[in-house]
Each structure stands twice: as C-alpha cells, then as structure tokens.
Amino acid sequence: MNLNDVHRGINKNKKRKRVGRGIGSGHGKTCGRGHKGQRSRAGYSTHPTFEGGQMPLVRRIPKRGFNNRWALSVVVVNVGQLDQCFEEGAEVTPETLKARDLAKGRYDVLKVLGDGQLTKKLSISAHRFSKSAQEKIEKAGGQVTVLPGKAPVVKNKQKA
C-alpha cells in the first residue's frame, strides 16, 4: 500500500440517491424497493430486534438476576483505609476522599464501615456509618458527622 492509495475510493461529500426519476435512471418506478410487500410501503419500519417473525434473540436467551433502578449507589470506605491515608486531626469529607481515590466514580451515598483499626483522631463526614465504625472513630477521639441528602436506611423492627 502506498500513501497516495489511502484516500482512493472514498468520497467525502457523497451525493444522496435520487429515486423515482424515470426508468432511465435505474431507480425509477419502484425506486429500489421491489414489488409489493411490507417493505415497499411508505412509513415502513421495524423494531431493531425484529427477526422476521422468528423468536428474537432477546427473548430466546434466559433471563437472570434483578436490577433495582431506584436503588441508591453506595460507596463504602473502611476506617482502616482512612487510618492509612489521612494524618492526625484531618477532616475527612466526600471531596477529600475523591481527591485521594478512596471514593471513585459516581455515587449517591458514602458509607463508612468498621473494617480495620483507627489510631488517629479524625473528623469524618459521610451519609452513613456502621455501628462498629462509629464506635472506633469515637474511641480514637474523632468526630462523626452525618451528611444530609439521602435518607438513611431504617430496617423495620418488630414490636415485642
């Protein structure tokens, strides 16, 4: 292949096909649609998954799982990670966690979990905290601030 072959046969400004302009044009009378039938009619269109009446692939494949599109996406951070990434007396917010790549991507709720040990006094702001995380933060002398916005999950407790 030569450099001058690269663009050969490629038309940048391709003219549209003008149909219905007489027999001599090659696209007269039926205008390339053939004779009769559904596809020859004006306004014809099918669903993208239509396979001519055959059972579509989408319906032939078994369905598995469940997707709750109203569920909030929750990002979790453990107190052990916070102990490694932040210095004594630091303020931990969703913004600082994003800056240090602990809370990646798009999320609705930030939750702090209690895995690991916390030896530093930290002021932590998040939407949710597990009980063990809250205990470890307060035991280390830190502060817990629950951010507003997304309502925390409250499990139904049966009355005794």
Side-chain angles (χ1 to χ4, degrees):
M1 178 182 234
N2 297 323
L3 191 61
N4 63 339
D5 290 341
V6 174
H7 298 296
R8 195 160 287 159
I10 295 173
N11 298 328
K12 194 172 182 184
N13 300 314
K14 192 175 180 182
K15 282 190 151 188
R16 70 182 181 89
K17 184 197 282 190
R18 292 185 76 221
V19 295
R21 294 297 181 273
I23 295 167
S25 70
H27 299 292
K29 194 187 170 201
T30 55
C31 309
R33 289 174 175 252
H35 289 277
K36 300 183 186 173
Q38 185 180 12
R39 293 182 180 199
S40 70
R41 312 290 187 214
Y44 162 78
S45 65
T46 56
H47 197 270
T49 60
F50 184 67
E51 297 181 20
Q54 165 178 295
M55 183 62 69
L57 183 68
V58 177
R59 291 182 60 195
R60 276 179 288 179
I61 295 172
K63 309 297 179 281
R64 288 182 58 87
F66 171 77
N67 182 24
N68 184 356
R69 66 181 183 194
W70 291 281
L72 298 174
S73 62
V74 180
V75 165
V76 294
V77 178
N78 285 299
V79 289
Q81 293 173 293
L82 299 177
D83 194 55
Q84 290 174 353
C85 296
F86 289 92
E87 49 285 336
E88 181 79 31
E91 194 168 314
V92 181
T93 62
E95 292 78 27
T96 57
L97 289 170
K98 254 190 178 161
R100 299 192 186 202
D101 276 347
L102 288 174
K104 295 177 183 174
R106 203 203 129 274
Y107 61 89
D108 298 315
V109 174
L110 173 68
K111 185 168 183 174
V112 179
L113 301 180
D115 190 32
Q117 294 301 316
L118 186 65
T119 57
K120 299 171 185 168
K121 182 181 175 181
L122 299 173
S123 174
I124 303 171
S125 301
H127 297 101
R128 297 178 188 168
F129 293 88
S130 68
K131 283 183 184 176
S132 61
Q134 194 165 354
E135 288 168 6
K136 287 180 181 181
I137 293 163
E138 289 168 353
K139 187 179 175 186
Q143 277 187 320
V144 170
T145 308
V146 178
L147 295 174
K150 307 297 179 184
V153 173
V154 178
K155 293 180 181 170
N156 294 337
K157 294 183 180 178
Q158 293 178 347
K159 294 178 182 176

mmCIF file of all heavy atoms in Angstrom, residues 94 107-112 125-129 145-152:
data_model
loop_
_atom_site.group_PDB
_atom_site.id
_atom_site.type_symbol
_atom_site.label_atom_id
_atom_site.label_comp_id
_atom_site.label_asym_id
_atom_site.label_seq_id
_atom_site.Cartn_x
_atom_site.Cartn_y
_atom_site.Cartn_z
ATOM 1 N N PRO A 94 -16.465 13.765 51.645
ATOM 2 C CA PRO A 94 -16.532 13.091 50.346
ATOM 3 C C PRO A 94 -15.560 13.678 49.319
ATOM 4 O O PRO A 94 -14.999 12.955 48.497
ATOM 5 C CB PRO A 94 -17.993 13.308 49.917
ATOM 6 C CG PRO A 94 -18.744 13.416 51.195
ATOM 7 C CD PRO A 94 -17.816 14.118 52.132
ATOM 8 N N TYR A 107 -21.622 8.320 42.762
ATOM 9 C CA TYR A 107 -22.370 7.613 43.799
ATOM 10 C C TYR A 107 -23.367 8.554 44.449
ATOM 11 O O TYR A 107 -23.251 9.769 44.345
ATOM 12 C CB TYR A 107 -21.431 7.006 44.842
ATOM 13 C CG TYR A 107 -20.584 8.018 45.585
ATOM 14 C CD1 TYR A 107 -21.039 8.608 46.751
ATOM 15 C CD2 TYR A 107 -19.329 8.384 45.121
ATOM 16 C CE1 TYR A 107 -20.279 9.533 47.435
ATOM 17 C CE2 TYR A 107 -18.559 9.305 45.796
ATOM 18 C CZ TYR A 107 -19.039 9.882 46.954
ATOM 19 O OH TYR A 107 -18.280 10.806 47.627
ATOM 20 N N ASP A 108 -24.372 7.960 45.126
ATOM 21 C CA ASP A 108 -25.386 8.745 45.825
ATOM 22 C C ASP A 108 -25.080 8.870 47.310
ATOM 23 O O ASP A 108 -25.372 9.882 47.921
ATOM 24 C CB ASP A 108 -26.766 8.081 45.663
ATOM 25 C CG ASP A 108 -27.197 8.025 44.212
ATOM 26 O OD1 ASP A 108 -27.044 9.047 43.520
ATOM 27 O OD2 ASP A 108 -27.676 6.965 43.765
ATOM 28 N N VAL A 109 -24.529 7.790 47.883
ATOM 29 C CA VAL A 109 -24.328 7.729 49.329
ATOM 30 C C VAL A 109 -22.919 7.245 49.637
ATOM 31 O O VAL A 109 -22.418 6.315 49.003
ATOM 32 C CB VAL A 109 -25.363 6.762 49.975
ATOM 33 C CG1 VAL A 109 -25.097 6.548 51.441
ATOM 34 C CG2 VAL A 109 -26.766 7.284 49.777
ATOM 35 N N LEU A 110 -22.297 7.887 50.627
ATOM 36 C CA LEU A 110 -20.987 7.457 51.118
ATOM 37 C C LEU A 110 -21.184 6.816 52.487
ATOM 38 O O LEU A 110 -21.776 7.427 53.378
ATOM 39 C CB LEU A 110 -20.045 8.654 51.236
ATOM 40 C CG LEU A 110 -18.706 8.375 51.887
ATOM 41 C CD1 LEU A 110 -17.852 7.470 51.013
ATOM 42 C CD2 LEU A 110 -17.970 9.670 52.179
ATOM 43 N N LYS A 111 -20.719 5.582 52.629
ATOM 44 C CA LYS A 111 -20.870 4.877 53.904
ATOM 45 C C LYS A 111 -19.503 4.473 54.440
ATOM 46 O O LYS A 111 -18.661 3.962 53.700
ATOM 47 C CB LYS A 111 -21.747 3.637 53.733
ATOM 48 C CG LYS A 111 -22.030 2.928 55.061
ATOM 49 C CD LYS A 111 -23.118 1.902 54.937
ATOM 50 C CE LYS A 111 -23.410 1.277 56.300
ATOM 51 N NZ LYS A 111 -24.553 0.368 56.265
ATOM 52 N N VAL A 112 -19.300 4.704 55.733
ATOM 53 C CA VAL A 112 -18.049 4.333 56.396
ATOM 54 C C VAL A 112 -18.295 3.048 57.175
ATOM 55 O O VAL A 112 -19.223 2.973 57.988
ATOM 56 C CB VAL A 112 -17.557 5.456 57.339
ATOM 57 C CG1 VAL A 112 -16.263 5.045 58.030
ATOM 58 C CG2 VAL A 112 -17.359 6.746 56.565
ATOM 59 N N SER A 125 -17.024 13.063 57.843
ATOM 60 C CA SER A 125 -18.372 13.417 57.376
ATOM 61 C C SER A 125 -18.777 12.429 56.299
ATOM 62 O O SER A 125 -18.064 12.260 55.311
ATOM 63 C CB SER A 125 -18.383 14.829 56.794
ATOM 64 O OG SER A 125 -17.971 15.758 57.758
ATOM 65 N N ALA A 126 -19.920 11.778 56.482
ATOM 66 C CA ALA A 126 -20.433 10.828 55.492
ATOM 67 C C ALA A 126 -21.942 10.735 55.646
ATOM 68 O O ALA A 126 -22.513 11.238 56.617
ATOM 69 C CB ALA A 126 -19.784 9.463 55.671
ATOM 70 N N HIS A 127 -22.595 10.067 54.683
ATOM 71 C CA HIS A 127 -24.050 9.933 54.737
ATOM 72 C C HIS A 127 -24.479 8.848 55.729
ATOM 73 O O HIS A 127 -25.517 8.953 56.354
ATOM 74 C CB HIS A 127 -24.607 9.594 53.348
ATOM 75 C CG HIS A 127 -24.346 10.669 52.350
ATOM 76 N ND1 HIS A 127 -23.333 10.596 51.423
ATOM 77 C CD2 HIS A 127 -24.958 11.865 52.142
ATOM 78 C CE1 HIS A 127 -23.342 11.682 50.680
ATOM 79 N NE2 HIS A 127 -24.315 12.468 51.089
ATOM 80 N N ARG A 128 -23.661 7.783 55.833
ATOM 81 C CA ARG A 128 -23.994 6.668 56.721
ATOM 82 C C ARG A 128 -22.741 6.144 57.408
ATOM 83 O O ARG A 128 -21.650 6.212 56.856
ATOM 84 C CB ARG A 128 -24.635 5.523 55.933
ATOM 85 C CG ARG A 128 -25.949 5.874 55.271
ATOM 86 C CD ARG A 128 -26.477 4.702 54.480
ATOM 87 N NE ARG A 128 -27.636 5.080 53.688
ATOM 88 C CZ ARG A 128 -28.162 4.335 52.739
ATOM 89 N NH1 ARG A 128 -27.652 3.164 52.453
ATOM 90 N NH2 ARG A 128 -29.210 4.746 52.066
ATOM 91 N N PHE A 129 -22.932 5.576 58.586
ATOM 92 C CA PHE A 129 -21.852 4.938 59.346
ATOM 93 C C PHE A 129 -22.367 3.621 59.907
ATOM 94 O O PHE A 129 -23.507 3.547 60.370
ATOM 95 C CB PHE A 129 -21.417 5.821 60.526
ATOM 96 C CG PHE A 129 -20.748 7.105 60.128
ATOM 97 C CD1 PHE A 129 -21.500 8.246 59.872
ATOM 98 C CD2 PHE A 129 -19.374 7.175 60.001
ATOM 99 C CE1 PHE A 129 -20.894 9.425 59.505
ATOM 100 C CE2 PHE A 129 -18.752 8.357 59.631
ATOM 101 C CZ PHE A 129 -19.517 9.489 59.376
ATOM 102 N N THR A 145 -19.902 13.037 61.627
ATOM 103 C CA THR A 145 -20.915 13.977 61.141
ATOM 104 C C THR A 145 -21.717 13.297 60.042
ATOM 105 O O THR A 145 -21.158 12.877 59.029
ATOM 106 C CB THR A 145 -20.254 15.250 60.574
ATOM 107 O OG1 THR A 145 -19.341 15.766 61.537
ATOM 108 C CG2 THR A 145 -21.289 16.291 60.235
ATOM 109 N N VAL A 146 -23.033 13.178 60.253
ATOM 110 C CA VAL A 146 -23.909 12.557 59.254
ATOM 111 C C VAL A 146 -24.368 13.649 58.294
ATOM 112 O O VAL A 146 -24.982 14.634 58.701
ATOM 113 C CB VAL A 146 -25.123 11.873 59.918
ATOM 114 C CG1 VAL A 146 -26.048 11.287 58.864
ATOM 115 C CG2 VAL A 146 -24.656 10.792 60.871
ATOM 116 N N LEU A 147 -24.047 13.475 57.019
ATOM 117 C CA LEU A 147 -24.412 14.455 55.995
ATOM 118 C C LEU A 147 -25.886 14.318 55.621
ATOM 119 O O LEU A 147 -26.411 13.213 55.564
ATOM 120 C CB LEU A 147 -23.554 14.259 54.745
ATOM 121 C CG LEU A 147 -22.060 14.519 54.903
ATOM 122 C CD1 LEU A 147 -21.332 14.135 53.637
ATOM 123 C CD2 LEU A 147 -21.801 15.984 55.229
ATOM 124 N N PRO A 148 -26.556 15.434 55.319
ATOM 125 C CA PRO A 148 -27.949 15.358 54.875
ATOM 126 C C PRO A 148 -28.021 14.954 53.409
ATOM 127 O O PRO A 148 -27.005 14.797 52.753
ATOM 128 C CB PRO A 148 -28.438 16.795 55.067
ATOM 129 C CG PRO A 148 -27.214 17.625 54.884
ATOM 130 C CD PRO A 148 -26.074 16.804 55.410
ATOM 131 N N GLY A 149 -29.211 14.813 52.920
ATOM 132 C CA GLY A 149 -29.393 14.496 51.497
ATOM 133 C C GLY A 149 -30.146 13.207 51.319
ATOM 134 O O GLY A 149 -31.340 13.203 51.124
ATOM 135 N N LYS A 150 -29.448 12.115 51.409
ATOM 136 C CA LYS A 150 -30.073 10.813 51.205
ATOM 137 C C LYS A 150 -30.496 10.262 52.564
ATOM 138 O O LYS A 150 -29.715 10.244 53.510
ATOM 139 C CB LYS A 150 -29.101 9.837 50.541
ATOM 140 C CG LYS A 150 -28.498 10.382 49.262
ATOM 141 C CD LYS A 150 -29.550 10.622 48.211
ATOM 142 C CE LYS A 150 -28.909 11.191 46.961
ATOM 143 N NZ LYS A 150 -29.829 11.544 45.945
ATOM 144 N N ALA A 151 -31.739 9.831 52.643
ATOM 145 C CA ALA A 151 -32.266 9.303 53.906
ATOM 146 C C ALA A 151 -31.579 7.989 54.256
ATOM 147 O O ALA A 151 -31.391 7.141 53.391
ATOM 148 C CB ALA A 151 -33.770 9.088 53.794
ATOM 149 N N PRO A 152 -31.170 7.815 55.508
ATOM 150 C CA PRO A 152 -30.540 6.569 55.894
ATOM 151 C C PRO A 152 -31.540 5.415 55.880
ATOM 152 O O PRO A 152 -32.742 5.622 56.053
ATOM 153 C CB PRO A 152 -30.040 6.827 57.322
ATOM 154 C CG PRO A 152 -30.866 7.956 57.804
ATOM 155 C CD PRO A 152 -31.281 8.763 56.614
#
